[in-house]
Amino acid sequence: MIILVTAEYIIFTTITGVLLGTFYGLATIGLSFTFGILRILNSGHGSLVMIGAYISYWSFALLGLPPLISAFLAFAIGFLIGLILYHGLISRVLGGPELISLVLMFAFGIFLQEVAKFSWGASPRGFTLSLGSVNIFGYEYPLTRVIGGVVSAVVVLVLYVFLFRTKSGNAIRSVVEDPEGASLCGVNVSRVYALSLAIALGLTVASGALSTLFVSGGIEPYMGDLYTTRAFAIAVLGGLTSPFGSFLAGLLFGIFENLSYMTLSLANVGNPFSMTRFLTFAMILLVLLVRPQGLLKR
Amino acid sequence: MSKELLRLEKVSKNFGGIKALNNVNLIVSEGEKLAVIGPNGAGKTTLFNAISGVFPLDSGRIFYLGKDITRLPPFKRKYLGISRSFQIPRPFAGMTVLDNVVVGALFSKDIKNIKEAKDRADEILALVGLYSKKDELAVNLTSPEKKLLELARALAPKPKLLLLDEIVAGIPPAEVDKIMSLVVKVSEQENISVVALVEHVMRVLKYVERAVFLHEGRVMMDDAPDKVLNSEIVRDIYLGKVYE
Amino acid sequence: MGIRTHRSLLLLLALSVVLLFIRTVIPETRQIVSILFFYIALSEVFNLFTGLTLYVCFGYVAFVALGMYGGGATIKYLLSSPNPQPLWVVFVCSFAVAGILALILALIVGWISIRLKGAYFAIATIGLNEGLKNLIEGTGIWGGSSGLIIANDLIRAYNYETFIFVTTDLADYLIFTVYIITVMCIYLVTKSRLGYGLAALREDEEAANVMGVNVVGYKLVVFVISATLAGMLGAGKMIKDVAIYPPQAFAISYTVEAIVISMLGGLGTVTGPIIGGLAYGVLKYMLTVSFPGLQLLALAPALMVMCVVFPYGIVGWLKRRFKGGVIESLLT
């Protein structure tokens, strides 16, 4: 069977890749935020996305709320988790060996997975929210995904404004530059750390809620693992310490993923989804080999 | 005529627009003792870091015993005989004093196994006067003792080139003489070239044969100590007259 | 260099032999001891690397799985010929292949990421599990998503009694052997020049580098050794389970258990994992009785709390408490 690949299809794939990428970028920003400010790698990143997806599901199933609304709720919950996690545990391991914080966050991720499994079972859940579709270059694309992409971009813009135009944002940036200096200038460094972690986790959980705009099913406790790998790939690509670098890298990654699915499906080399995920990991290794500080410097 | 040990040729290093080292040329011969002096920020520690290999150079080359070591990583340079002490002591805090010195001794060309390293460590610790504390954890030492440990660690590997970064800073004058005579004694015994980095030059002047004056990353003077100190350039810089 | 200096090793070997003895003598304990030994062995492998370098490898699941696949495929291949080789040849080959595959993978991943900071290395090793799993499922090699089963091959080549012996006793002895090799590696490394270098780089990598320690090289050597041993553990596990399916093979849970046992016992100590393993075995048994199926749910937060409150583990705590003297030398 010969499948014709037209120029339109490639453009379509690229544009939808960008839309998907803005979402991936949002889902990764939390990771870079945490690493850039607290110097802690959230090795349990994906589980927070999973929690967000469940929040979206239950908001819809129980309260009929669409994902855009539940994203706010998700952000709030993530924010709260961040504050509790910081004051309870993270603040105590902050200056210590990297090993400890890595294991801690990893265990945290596992903990969230197990709580989800215990509370809601392991069978995948999902819901469909159809708002019709949009015509891009002759191909139909669900409106929900377009909304998801646009909303993600808006959120990142809000974050930008927050970091560069508000007092708290400036405080955060000063701590990244020079924690001691900032402290001498009267910045409460501990509060900045707590706030940063809270925002980072809030964004991640919120992105999980928005994920239901892109994928209508497959919400299960272990869905986060895939997001962790993706986020890692995007973060190293964009520079692990740079949130906005991650966003841009997310766009690139979205295009890559779509083109990869397309090419692999056509070439008929094994399972395109699994192979794309493998390529994501290969990408991590490649970037680490060639340019570990990321393609886009801070 | 002594053999040439270390040669820096047109070595330059920038840090974010600031020229920390600017076209530095320097030759150290076997058995020499010299002081690198200059005001704060002149580039003295950067010079040491360049010789140790802590960062890559922007331009220039470094030769050791005739071999180009510009691209060699720090641990290989140590192996060849370039040993260094840090200005702010960085002992391996969780290890004992003895083990700290053993690490210094073990990773060098002349010392073949752990037993030899331990013997050498004992010898050096006795020399600097820390033998009684050899089983103490390094983190428990007093500040002056940590400096002695730095020295011991640097002497342990039987180096050919010893870089001492502010070895006598923050030490009372009586102790300075003790440490410097010790350094001179060991360096003469074992034929080590010593390059001592100091900001307060008077303290070490009588122990060295040569002074290299650095200012803003450049070698301004390289001559016998009294000539350097009495020169106009040096006087002016130290008194703050020349400030671009 | 007499008995005194090797006290901790002897204590460890004594404890291990006792456990093995219990398993042989009391048949009811066979299953529990067997499972426990696998976890203790995996913890020792984890401990060998993470304890000595303070870099965390989250990817041992991948190395074990690779060992299972490699070992299993080798057995399948060797048993498919019309004249099956003697038992010991088949198993030596499967262990060798498993070890070599794991070694190569570790060289690639390690060489790329171990010269970077711990966080980057963690990223590479966390991704490794997903990466390898997707490669197998995506390309369909070694049975792909359907898995790899060698039970029939074994029964066909040898008789049923041998099959039973192999998959129960022999597998356990082989795992025990890998465990002993791992322990010996840890012991020999810590007493050697490599050990001093590792101790220095644990304290301060940059200073160690200037002091002459080949920091990247040493970390890599230890990583590759530990990965190879993990691969061989996988080969042993394959002989025990005689089947492997991607979802179970790459399940993250036994990484968590290996980490818990290592940290509970004491990272970087020779005796830590076995003490941690025994303590964990008891805890796990109690949990299984009262709350079946909820081990990870209880284990994960316990690990989190341990990170903050009890990072040195039992042995680490004992060593600090009883500084100097017999107990410390017993517990290295």
Side-chain angles (χ1 to χ4, degrees), chain A residues 161-175 195:
Chain A
V161 167
F162 169 75
L163 275 183
F164 284 86
R165 299 266 186 265
T166 66
K167 204 168 111 174
S168 307
N170 281 320
I172 291 178
R173 286 190 305 129
S174 71
V175 168
L195 181 65

Side-chain angles (χ1 to χ4, degrees), chain C residues 7-331:
Chain C
R7 265 188 214 150
S8 56
L9 186 63
L10 290 175
L11 172 66
L12 179 65
L13 291 176
L15 271 174
S16 312
V17 170
V18 164
L19 262 182
L20 197 64
F21 188 66
I22 292 177
R23 179 195 170 278
T24 327
V25 162
I26 310 174
E28 293 84 43
T29 59
R30 185 168 295 179
Q31 255 243 346
I32 304 176
V33 175
S34 161
I35 294 176
L36 196 61
F37 248 118
F38 178 77
Y39 281 114
I40 294 178
L42 188 58
S43 310
E44 285 284 7
V45 167
F46 178 81
N47 192 23
L48 168 61
F49 174 65
T50 297
L52 293 181
T53 62
L54 293 187
Y55 265 54
V56 194
C57 171
F58 289 103
Y60 283 108
V61 179
F63 291 117
V64 172
L66 185 60
M68 287 179 83
Y69 272 110
T74 312
I75 291 177
K76 216 180 189 31
Y77 173 74
L78 287 176
L79 294 181
S80 64
S81 72
N83 290 331
Q85 313 281 338
L87 207 64
W88 68 272
V89 170
V90 173
F91 293 130
V92 165
C93 286
S94 82
F95 270 71
V97 169
I100 291 172
L101 285 176
L103 191 148
I104 295 174
L105 181 61
L107 268 176
I108 296 173
V109 175
W111 190 78
I112 291 176
S113 57
I114 224 162
R115 60 206 165 92
L116 305 170
K117 280 206 304 239
Y120 293 95
F121 180 73
I123 287 178
T125 57
I126 290 179
L128 186 58
N129 293 332
E130 280 287 303
L132 190 61
K133 179 171 88 166
N134 283 305
L135 180 63
I136 292 177
E137 280 181 339
T139 54
I141 57 173
W142 289 330
S145 326
S146 337
L148 182 68
I149 307 171
I150 59 172
N152 293 327
D153 305 75
L154 280 171
I155 297 180
R156 236 183 328 113
Y158 311 106
N159 57 54
Y160 192 69
E161 272 148 26
T162 318
F163 171 73
I164 294 292
F165 166 70
V166 160
T167 56
T168 50
D169 290 333
L170 184 61
D172 286 345
Y173 294 141
L174 287 171
I175 290 177
F176 185 77
T177 311
V178 177
Y179 159 72
I180 293 290
I181 296 175
T182 310
V183 167
M184 294 304 297
C185 280
I186 298 181
Y187 191 75
L188 290 170
V189 165
T190 48
K191 300 290 182 202
S192 71
R193 204 158 168 261
L194 179 58
Y196 270 101
L198 289 168
L201 74 86
R202 280 202 298 277
E203 293 284 339
D204 186 341
E205 261 193 50
E206 202 185 272
N209 206 341
V210 172
M211 286 283 121
V213 179
N214 182 352
V215 170
V216 175
Y218 279 16
K219 285 188 287 186
L220 190 60
V221 162
V222 178
F223 179 57
V224 170
I225 294 177
S226 75
T228 310
L229 290 166
M232 296 205 283
L233 272 184
K237 188 169 197 291
M238 187 62 181
I239 296 173
K240 228 165 110 66
D241 296 348
V242 290
I244 177 174
Y245 305 99
Q248 286 82 348
F250 291 93
I252 209 74
S253 57
Y254 60 90
T255 304
V256 179
E257 301 192 277
I259 298 179
V260 168
I261 293 177
S262 296
M263 288 190 73
L264 186 60
L267 270 180
T269 63
V270 166
T271 44
I274 199 170
I275 293 179
L278 289 171
Y280 177 67
V282 169
L283 284 168
K284 183 167 175 165
Y285 181 70
M286 290 182 347
L287 272 176
T288 323
V289 164
S290 351
F291 306 103
L294 294 181
Q295 288 105 296
L296 274 186
L297 184 58
L299 214 53
L303 186 54
M304 288 170 73
V305 172
M306 241 188 356
C307 282
V308 178
V309 167
F310 199 53
Y312 302 111
I314 298 175
V315 174
W317 180 80
L318 283 173
K319 276 173 74 172
R320 269 153 208 268
R321 201 58 168 55
F322 301 102
K323 262 213 145 315
V326 184
I327 298 203
E328 190 179 4
S329 71
L330 265 181
L331 293 173

Side-chain angles (χ1 to χ4, degrees), chain A residues 86-87 91 187-195:
Chain A
Y86 178 79
H87 288 297
S91 54
V187 174
N188 185 336
V189 176
S190 174
R191 250 195 22 183
V192 165
Y193 285 151
L195 181 65

Side-chain angles (χ1 to χ4, degrees), chain A residues 90-104:
Chain A
I90 302 270
S91 54
R92 297 173 216 276
V93 304
L94 214 47
E98 247 186 332
L99 159 70
I100 297 287
S101 63
L102 285 170
V103 174
L104 178 62

